[in-house]
Amino acid sequence: MKTTLGILCCFVVGIAVGRWGTLSDPSVIGHVSFAALCLLMLCVGVTVGGDKIMLRQIRTLPRLSLWLPVCTIVGALAGSLLAALLVHRVPTDCLAVGSGFGYYSLSSLLIGDLRGAELGTIALVSNIMREIFTLLFAPLLVRYFGAFAPIASGGATTADTSLPVIMQFSGTRWTTLSVFHGCVVDFSVPFLVTFFCAL
C-alpha cells in the first residue's frame, strides 16, 4: 500500500510540476521517461535472472498451474474488449490499457508516449485500481473463486506488491507460482502494450 501511495504522490507532484514548473519540454520528458523505462526493465531482468531458487521451485509446480499467466492475459484482454463496448471507446485503447496488468509505472509511460497523456493517465489510474482491488479483496476472491483468483487479479504485481496478501489468503504453497505468474505477465506488458498502441 505504501508503494501505491508513493506512486500517487509522484503523479500529483508531476501534475504540479507540469502545470506550474519549468519542466514542460516534451523532448526532455520523453528522454526521462525512456530512461526510467529502461531502468525498470533492467531491474525486472536482474530479479528474474538472479533468483535461482525460484527457477528450481517452478519445476516442482503442477503443470496445469503454469498456464495461469496465459489465462490471466486472455481474461484481461477479453475484459478490456467488453469495457470498450460499455464505455464506447476504441477497442485498441482499452486493450492497451488492459495490457498493463497492474504494472502502472511501465504501462502508463508507454501508453503516454505512444498514445498521449490522456490515455496514459487512464492507464495509470486503471492499473493502480487493479492493484488496490487485489490488496483489499483478496480474502473474498479466495472465498468465492479459489486460491488462484487473487493471483489472476493481481496480474503483474503478484511477484512483488500483492505477494504478501496472496501468501496470507491463498496459502504459502502458491508463493512460487505467484512469483512465476508475476514475472511472466510482467514480461508481456511492454510487448502487448506496444502492439495494441501500434494498431
Short mmCIF file of all heavy atoms in Angstrom, two decimals, residues 4 76 94-108 111 119-134 153-157 161 189 193:
data_model
loop_
_atom_site.label_atom_id
_atom_site.label_comp_id
_atom_site.label_asym_id
_atom_site.label_seq_id
_atom_site.Cartn_x
_atom_site.Cartn_y
_atom_site.Cartn_z
N THR A 4 1.97 2.08 -3.50
CA THR A 4 0.89 2.69 -4.29
C THR A 4 0.72 4.15 -3.93
O THR A 4 0.58 5.01 -4.81
CB THR A 4 -0.42 1.93 -4.04
OG1 THR A 4 -0.22 0.55 -4.38
CG2 THR A 4 -1.55 2.49 -4.89
N ALA A 76 -7.91 -10.83 -19.10
CA ALA A 76 -7.81 -9.37 -19.02
C ALA A 76 -8.11 -8.72 -20.38
O ALA A 76 -8.78 -7.68 -20.45
CB ALA A 76 -6.42 -8.96 -18.54
N CYS A 94 -8.61 0.40 -25.13
CA CYS A 94 -8.92 -0.40 -23.95
C CYS A 94 -8.00 -1.61 -23.84
O CYS A 94 -7.60 -1.99 -22.73
CB CYS A 94 -10.39 -0.84 -23.98
SG CYS A 94 -11.54 0.52 -23.76
N LEU A 95 -7.66 -2.21 -24.96
CA LEU A 95 -6.74 -3.35 -24.95
C LEU A 95 -5.35 -2.93 -24.48
O LEU A 95 -4.68 -3.65 -23.73
CB LEU A 95 -6.65 -3.99 -26.33
CG LEU A 95 -7.87 -4.82 -26.74
CD1 LEU A 95 -7.83 -5.13 -28.24
CD2 LEU A 95 -7.96 -6.11 -25.94
N ALA A 96 -4.91 -1.74 -24.90
CA ALA A 96 -3.61 -1.22 -24.45
C ALA A 96 -3.60 -0.98 -22.95
O ALA A 96 -2.67 -1.36 -22.25
CB ALA A 96 -3.26 0.06 -25.20
N VAL A 97 -4.67 -0.36 -22.44
CA VAL A 97 -4.78 -0.11 -21.00
C VAL A 97 -4.85 -1.42 -20.23
O VAL A 97 -4.17 -1.61 -19.22
CB VAL A 97 -6.02 0.77 -20.69
CG1 VAL A 97 -6.27 0.86 -19.19
CG2 VAL A 97 -5.83 2.17 -21.27
N GLY A 98 -5.67 -2.36 -20.71
CA GLY A 98 -5.80 -3.66 -20.05
C GLY A 98 -4.52 -4.47 -20.06
O GLY A 98 -4.28 -5.28 -19.17
N SER A 99 -3.67 -4.22 -21.06
CA SER A 99 -2.40 -4.94 -21.17
C SER A 99 -1.38 -4.50 -20.14
O SER A 99 -0.29 -5.07 -20.07
CB SER A 99 -1.81 -4.76 -22.57
OG SER A 99 -2.64 -5.33 -23.54
N GLY A 100 -1.74 -3.49 -19.36
CA GLY A 100 -0.85 -3.08 -18.27
C GLY A 100 -0.81 -4.09 -17.14
O GLY A 100 0.17 -4.19 -16.41
N PHE A 101 -1.90 -4.86 -16.96
CA PHE A 101 -1.99 -5.94 -15.97
C PHE A 101 -1.56 -5.50 -14.56
O PHE A 101 -0.96 -6.27 -13.82
CB PHE A 101 -1.15 -7.15 -16.39
CG PHE A 101 -1.49 -7.68 -17.74
CD1 PHE A 101 -0.53 -7.70 -18.75
CD2 PHE A 101 -2.76 -8.14 -18.04
CE1 PHE A 101 -0.84 -8.19 -20.01
CE2 PHE A 101 -3.08 -8.63 -19.30
CZ PHE A 101 -2.11 -8.65 -20.29
N GLY A 102 -1.83 -4.24 -14.22
CA GLY A 102 -1.48 -3.75 -12.90
C GLY A 102 -0.09 -3.12 -12.83
O GLY A 102 0.28 -2.53 -11.81
N TYR A 103 0.69 -3.21 -13.90
CA TYR A 103 2.04 -2.64 -13.92
C TYR A 103 1.93 -1.18 -14.36
O TYR A 103 2.28 -0.82 -15.47
CB TYR A 103 2.91 -3.45 -14.88
CG TYR A 103 4.41 -3.26 -14.75
CD1 TYR A 103 5.28 -4.13 -15.38
CD2 TYR A 103 4.97 -2.22 -14.01
CE1 TYR A 103 6.65 -3.99 -15.28
CE2 TYR A 103 6.32 -2.06 -13.90
CZ TYR A 103 7.17 -2.96 -14.54
OH TYR A 103 8.53 -2.81 -14.44
N TYR A 104 1.44 -0.34 -13.44
CA TYR A 104 1.08 1.03 -13.81
C TYR A 104 2.28 1.89 -14.17
O TYR A 104 2.19 2.75 -15.05
CB TYR A 104 0.27 1.70 -12.70
CG TYR A 104 0.77 1.46 -11.29
CD1 TYR A 104 1.84 2.16 -10.79
CD2 TYR A 104 0.15 0.52 -10.48
CE1 TYR A 104 2.29 1.94 -9.50
CE2 TYR A 104 0.59 0.29 -9.20
CZ TYR A 104 1.67 1.00 -8.70
OH TYR A 104 2.12 0.78 -7.43
N SER A 105 3.42 1.69 -13.53
CA SER A 105 4.58 2.55 -13.81
C SER A 105 5.08 2.36 -15.24
O SER A 105 5.43 3.33 -15.91
CB SER A 105 5.70 2.27 -12.81
OG SER A 105 5.99 0.89 -12.75
N LEU A 106 5.08 1.14 -15.72
CA LEU A 106 5.55 0.86 -17.07
C LEU A 106 4.49 1.15 -18.11
O LEU A 106 4.74 1.86 -19.10
CB LEU A 106 6.01 -0.60 -17.17
CG LEU A 106 6.41 -1.11 -18.56
CD1 LEU A 106 7.59 -0.30 -19.08
CD2 LEU A 106 6.76 -2.58 -18.50
N SER A 107 3.28 0.64 -17.91
CA SER A 107 2.24 0.78 -18.94
C SER A 107 1.84 2.23 -19.17
O SER A 107 1.63 2.66 -20.31
CB SER A 107 1.01 -0.06 -18.58
OG SER A 107 0.45 0.37 -17.36
N SER A 108 1.76 3.02 -18.09
CA SER A 108 1.36 4.42 -18.26
C SER A 108 2.43 5.22 -19.00
O SER A 108 2.11 6.11 -19.80
CB SER A 108 1.05 5.07 -16.90
OG SER A 108 2.17 5.00 -16.05
N ILE A 111 2.13 3.98 -22.79
CA ILE A 111 0.90 4.47 -23.42
C ILE A 111 0.93 5.99 -23.54
O ILE A 111 0.48 6.56 -24.55
CB ILE A 111 -0.34 3.98 -22.64
CG1 ILE A 111 -0.45 2.47 -22.76
CG2 ILE A 111 -1.61 4.65 -23.15
CD1 ILE A 111 -1.49 1.84 -21.85
N LEU A 119 -4.70 8.99 -22.39
CA LEU A 119 -4.79 7.54 -22.27
C LEU A 119 -3.74 7.02 -21.29
O LEU A 119 -3.99 6.05 -20.57
CB LEU A 119 -4.63 6.87 -23.63
CG LEU A 119 -5.07 5.40 -23.69
CD1 LEU A 119 -6.56 5.27 -23.38
CD2 LEU A 119 -4.75 4.80 -25.05
N GLY A 120 -2.60 7.69 -21.22
CA GLY A 120 -1.58 7.31 -20.25
C GLY A 120 -2.08 7.48 -18.82
O GLY A 120 -1.81 6.64 -17.95
N THR A 121 -2.83 8.55 -18.58
CA THR A 121 -3.41 8.79 -17.25
C THR A 121 -4.48 7.75 -16.93
O THR A 121 -4.55 7.24 -15.80
CB THR A 121 -4.02 10.20 -17.18
OG1 THR A 121 -3.01 11.16 -17.50
CG2 THR A 121 -4.56 10.50 -15.79
N ILE A 122 -5.31 7.41 -17.93
CA ILE A 122 -6.32 6.36 -17.74
C ILE A 122 -5.64 5.04 -17.39
O ILE A 122 -6.09 4.31 -16.50
CB ILE A 122 -7.20 6.22 -19.01
CG1 ILE A 122 -8.06 7.45 -19.19
CG2 ILE A 122 -8.07 4.97 -18.93
CD1 ILE A 122 -8.78 7.52 -20.52
N ALA A 123 -4.54 4.74 -18.07
CA ALA A 123 -3.80 3.50 -17.79
C ALA A 123 -3.24 3.50 -16.37
O ALA A 123 -3.30 2.49 -15.66
CB ALA A 123 -2.66 3.33 -18.80
N LEU A 124 -2.72 4.64 -15.95
CA LEU A 124 -2.17 4.74 -14.60
C LEU A 124 -3.24 4.47 -13.55
O LEU A 124 -3.07 3.62 -12.66
CB LEU A 124 -1.56 6.13 -14.38
CG LEU A 124 -1.02 6.42 -12.99
CD1 LEU A 124 0.21 5.60 -12.72
CD2 LEU A 124 -0.73 7.90 -12.81
N VAL A 125 -4.37 5.17 -13.66
CA VAL A 125 -5.44 5.03 -12.66
C VAL A 125 -6.04 3.62 -12.71
O VAL A 125 -6.26 2.99 -11.67
CB VAL A 125 -6.53 6.10 -12.90
CG1 VAL A 125 -7.72 5.87 -11.97
CG2 VAL A 125 -5.96 7.50 -12.68
N SER A 126 -6.29 3.11 -13.91
CA SER A 126 -6.89 1.79 -14.07
C SER A 126 -6.02 0.70 -13.45
O SER A 126 -6.51 -0.18 -12.73
CB SER A 126 -7.10 1.50 -15.56
OG SER A 126 -7.49 0.17 -15.77
N ASN A 127 -4.73 0.75 -13.70
CA ASN A 127 -3.84 -0.29 -13.21
C ASN A 127 -3.54 -0.15 -11.72
O ASN A 127 -3.32 -1.15 -11.04
CB ASN A 127 -2.56 -0.33 -14.05
CG ASN A 127 -2.80 -0.96 -15.41
OD1 ASN A 127 -3.03 -2.15 -15.51
ND2 ASN A 127 -2.77 -0.16 -16.45
N ILE A 128 -3.55 1.07 -11.21
CA ILE A 128 -3.44 1.25 -9.75
C ILE A 128 -4.68 0.67 -9.07
O ILE A 128 -4.58 0.00 -8.04
CB ILE A 128 -3.26 2.74 -9.39
CG1 ILE A 128 -1.84 3.20 -9.71
CG2 ILE A 128 -3.56 2.99 -7.91
CD1 ILE A 128 -1.58 4.66 -9.48
N MET A 129 -5.85 0.91 -9.67
CA MET A 129 -7.08 0.37 -9.09
C MET A 129 -7.08 -1.16 -9.11
O MET A 129 -7.61 -1.79 -8.19
CB MET A 129 -8.29 0.91 -9.86
CG MET A 129 -8.56 2.38 -9.58
SD MET A 129 -9.99 3.01 -10.47
CE MET A 129 -11.31 2.14 -9.63
N ARG A 130 -6.47 -1.76 -10.11
CA ARG A 130 -6.39 -3.22 -10.16
C ARG A 130 -5.57 -3.74 -8.98
O ARG A 130 -5.95 -4.70 -8.33
CB ARG A 130 -5.74 -3.66 -11.48
CG ARG A 130 -5.61 -5.17 -11.58
CD ARG A 130 -5.15 -5.63 -12.93
NE ARG A 130 -5.12 -7.09 -12.99
CZ ARG A 130 -5.20 -7.79 -14.10
NH1 ARG A 130 -5.30 -7.18 -15.26
NH2 ARG A 130 -5.17 -9.12 -14.06
N GLU A 131 -4.46 -3.08 -8.70
CA GLU A 131 -3.64 -3.50 -7.57
C GLU A 131 -4.37 -3.29 -6.24
O GLU A 131 -4.37 -4.18 -5.37
CB GLU A 131 -2.33 -2.72 -7.55
CG GLU A 131 -1.44 -3.13 -6.39
CD GLU A 131 -0.15 -2.34 -6.33
OE1 GLU A 131 0.40 -2.02 -7.40
OE2 GLU A 131 0.31 -2.06 -5.22
N ILE A 132 -5.00 -2.13 -6.08
CA ILE A 132 -5.72 -1.86 -4.83
C ILE A 132 -6.86 -2.85 -4.63
O ILE A 132 -7.09 -3.34 -3.52
CB ILE A 132 -6.25 -0.41 -4.83
CG1 ILE A 132 -5.07 0.58 -4.75
CG2 ILE A 132 -7.21 -0.16 -3.67
CD1 ILE A 132 -5.46 2.03 -4.93
N PHE A 133 -7.57 -3.18 -5.71
CA PHE A 133 -8.65 -4.16 -5.65
C PHE A 133 -8.13 -5.50 -5.13
O PHE A 133 -8.73 -6.14 -4.27
CB PHE A 133 -9.29 -4.34 -7.03
CG PHE A 133 -10.35 -5.40 -7.08
CD1 PHE A 133 -11.66 -5.11 -6.75
CD2 PHE A 133 -10.03 -6.71 -7.46
CE1 PHE A 133 -12.65 -6.09 -6.79
CE2 PHE A 133 -11.00 -7.70 -7.50
CZ PHE A 133 -12.32 -7.39 -7.16
N THR A 134 -6.99 -5.93 -5.66
CA THR A 134 -6.40 -7.20 -5.23
C THR A 134 -6.01 -7.16 -3.76
O THR A 134 -6.28 -8.11 -3.01
CB THR A 134 -5.16 -7.54 -6.09
OG1 THR A 134 -5.55 -7.57 -7.47
CG2 THR A 134 -4.57 -8.89 -5.71
N SER A 153 -6.04 -11.83 -10.39
CA SER A 153 -6.45 -10.44 -10.21
C SER A 153 -5.24 -9.51 -10.09
O SER A 153 -5.24 -8.40 -10.62
CB SER A 153 -7.33 -10.31 -8.96
OG SER A 153 -7.59 -8.97 -8.67
N GLY A 154 -4.20 -9.99 -9.41
CA GLY A 154 -3.01 -9.16 -9.18
C GLY A 154 -2.20 -8.89 -10.43
O GLY A 154 -1.46 -7.91 -10.50
N GLY A 155 -2.33 -9.75 -11.44
CA GLY A 155 -1.60 -9.54 -12.70
C GLY A 155 -0.10 -9.50 -12.50
O GLY A 155 0.49 -10.40 -11.90
N ALA A 156 0.52 -8.42 -12.96
CA ALA A 156 1.98 -8.30 -12.89
C ALA A 156 2.49 -8.03 -11.48
O ALA A 156 3.67 -8.16 -11.22
CB ALA A 156 2.43 -7.17 -13.82
N THR A 157 1.60 -7.68 -10.56
CA THR A 157 2.03 -7.31 -9.20
C THR A 157 2.23 -8.51 -8.29
O THR A 157 2.65 -8.34 -7.14
CB THR A 157 1.01 -6.36 -8.54
OG1 THR A 157 -0.19 -7.08 -8.24
CG2 THR A 157 0.69 -5.18 -9.44
N THR A 161 4.27 -6.47 -4.96
CA THR A 161 3.42 -5.75 -4.01
C THR A 161 2.23 -6.54 -3.49
O THR A 161 1.84 -6.40 -2.33
CB THR A 161 2.92 -4.42 -4.61
OG1 THR A 161 2.27 -4.68 -5.85
CG2 THR A 161 4.05 -3.45 -4.82
N VAL A 189 4.03 -7.23 -20.67
CA VAL A 189 3.44 -5.88 -20.71
C VAL A 189 4.01 -5.00 -21.82
O VAL A 189 3.25 -4.46 -22.64
CB VAL A 189 3.57 -5.18 -19.33
CG1 VAL A 189 3.19 -3.70 -19.43
CG2 VAL A 189 2.71 -5.88 -18.30
N VAL A 193 1.40 -3.95 -24.82
CA VAL A 193 1.02 -2.53 -24.82
C VAL A 193 1.48 -1.87 -26.13
O VAL A 193 0.71 -1.16 -26.79
CB VAL A 193 1.61 -1.79 -23.60
CG1 VAL A 193 1.47 -0.28 -23.77
CG2 VAL A 193 0.92 -2.24 -22.32
#
